[in-house]
């Protein structure tokens, strides 16, 4: 008599997971009411501190998040905590600033948050309010040759500011906080925030890109910018221009030369 055919093991059920909110094509993330659970967890364990310059997490290259992992409890709780810290203390935050080496950034700029700026300053910076955005595994592509130089600060370099030149306009691609694809263009201050936060994911601080002679304490922010210098060159001028964005030591010399040639041509027009 033939042995009975063994029954196949029942398929393992995948535990259903759900993002704590929904995202749109431009990365805007709307938290759902169910995220109250995340707030209770934070209250019980205490929110993580923003790590400061010198912490290894700020100098390591962060690890990408698998798309299937975005709706996991680990990543959703990280996103929720980042949004709460960002809303309480700034306009942007990267996961390494909380000691988490993952490629996640959040950003939000509100009318209330920019209330200490004059209308002229806001227009000069192209700074406009936008709702909270969550970008997982972001990649940025510069659009055009225009750049802008303005003061920047960082929660991880507390108490200081310096002028940094950034691309004026960038295209951002990645995934939203619920795993949906994200693809949008940002200009002005939003583009600056994105570039600052994505730098964090690559172990780069704004001090690596700053115009070093402009570094100052926050309480001295309104002091005049330094003038021309025989060793360090022409004085920094705030605002938009076609001057090239400063590149790191890994950039090719050919790219730097090409950028300078473009800038000279544009100045002659």
């Amino acid at each position: 008599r033939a042995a009975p055919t063994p029954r196949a093991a029942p398929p393992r059920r995948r535990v259903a997971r759900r993002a704590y909110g929904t995202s749109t094509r431009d990365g805007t993330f709307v938290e759902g009411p169910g995220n109250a659970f995340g707030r209770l967890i934070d209250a019980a364990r205490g929110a993580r501190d923003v790590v400061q310059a010198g912490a290894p997490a700020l100098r390591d290259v962060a690890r990408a998040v698998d798309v299937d992992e975005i709706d996991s409890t680990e990543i959703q709780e990280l996103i929720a905590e980042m949004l709460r810290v960002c809303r309480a203390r700034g306009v942007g935050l990267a996961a390494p600033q909380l000691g988490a080496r993952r490629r996640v950034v959040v950003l939000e700029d509100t009318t209330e948050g920019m209330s200490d700026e004059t209308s002229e300053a806001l227009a000069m910076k192209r700074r406009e309010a936008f709702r909270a955005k969550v970008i997982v595994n972001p990649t940025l592509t510069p659009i055009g040759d225009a750049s802008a130089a303005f003061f920047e600060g960082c929660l991880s370099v507390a108490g200081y500011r310096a002028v940094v030149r950034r691309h004026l306009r960038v295209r951002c691609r990645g995934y939203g906080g619920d795993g949906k694809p994200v693809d949008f263009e940002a200009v002005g201050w939003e583009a600056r925030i994105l570039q600052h936060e994505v730098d964090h994911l690559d172990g780069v601080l704004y001090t690596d890109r700053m115009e070093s002679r402009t570094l100052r304490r926050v309480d001295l922010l309104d002091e005049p910018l330094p003038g021309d210098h025989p060793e360090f060159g022409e004085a920094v001028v705030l605002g938009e221009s076609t001057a090239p964005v400063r590149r790191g030591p890994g950039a090719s010399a050919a790219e730097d030369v090409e950028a300078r040639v473009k800038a000279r041509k544009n100045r002659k027009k």
Side-chain angles (χ1 to χ4, degrees):
R1 183 179 179 182
T5 303
R7 292 183 179 181
R12 296 180 63 184
R13 294 181 59 189
R14 181 179 181 272
V15 177
R17 298 187 298 187
R18 181 180 298 175
Y20 289 180
T22 58
S23 64
T24 61
R25 190 72 174 173
D26 70 349
T28 299
F29 188 72
V30 180
E31 292 183 279
N35 200 22
F37 178 68
R39 288 189 285 272
L40 289 174
I41 292 176
D42 274 356
R45 72 185 178 192
R48 283 175 280 194
D49 291 331
V50 174
V51 301
Q52 295 299 302
L58 294 176
R59 288 310 192 179
D60 293 338
V61 176
R63 181 164 55 92
V65 179
D66 290 338
V67 177
D68 292 341
E69 190 184 2
I70 293 176
D71 65 350
S72 68
T73 300
E74 175 192 353
I75 298 302
Q76 291 300 309
E77 288 184 4
L78 174 62
I79 289 171
E81 184 175 6
M82 289 174 65
L83 285 169
R84 285 190 284 279
V85 173
C86 177
R87 285 169 173 155
R89 300 186 58 184
V91 295
L93 194 74
Q97 291 182 273
L98 294 184
R101 295 168 171 84
R102 306 309 300 270
R103 299 189 77 82
V104 182
V105 303
V106 303
L107 53 155
E108 180 181 48
D109 208 359
T110 64
T111 302
E112 181 183 4
M114 60 182 74
S115 59
D116 60 339
E117 297 235 51
T118 65
S119 57
E120 292 78 9
L122 292 174
M124 186 178 183
K125 296 176 179 179
R126 301 203 195 194
R127 184 176 179 183
E128 298 179 356
F130 58 87
R131 298 175 69 184
K133 298 188 177 188
V134 175
I135 319 294
V136 180
N137 299 341
T139 61
L140 300 181
T141 305
I143 300 174
D145 297 325
S147 64
F150 289 108
F151 276 101
E152 275 185 28
C154 180
L155 294 177
S156 293
V157 189
Y160 288 86
R161 300 285 188 275
V163 174
V164 181
R165 182 168 298 283
R166 301 279 189 186
H167 297 289
L168 181 64
R169 187 183 300 269
V170 296
R171 180 182 182 185
C172 178
R173 285 173 282 191
Y175 296 94
D178 59 358
K180 294 176 184 174
V182 164
D183 189 342
F184 65 99
E185 292 183 9
V187 65
W189 206 251
E190 182 181 351
R192 175 174 294 271
I193 297 170
L194 277 168
Q195 291 169 81
H196 179 113
E197 302 307 336
V198 171
D199 269 352
H200 275 302
L201 305 184
D202 293 325
V204 176
L205 296 175
Y206 84 88
T207 50
D208 299 323
R209 303 193 187 281
M210 70 181 179
E211 299 288 347
S212 60
R213 283 170 49 78
T214 68
L215 180 67
R216 60 194 57 199
R217 288 189 337 211
V218 174
D219 59 322
L220 299 174
L221 192 58
D222 294 330
E223 294 297 318
L225 289 169
D228 295 350
H229 190 277
E231 180 179 351
F232 296 102
E234 295 180 358
V236 175
V237 178
L238 300 183
E240 297 178 18
S241 76
T242 54
V245 173
R246 174 171 294 185
R247 298 174 180 271
S252 70
E255 288 176 328
D256 283 339
V257 170
E258 182 181 1
R260 289 196 293 269
V261 170
K262 281 184 178 180
R264 283 199 295 271
K265 287 181 178 179
N266 288 328
R267 282 197 292 269
K268 292 178 181 178
K269 291 181 181 178

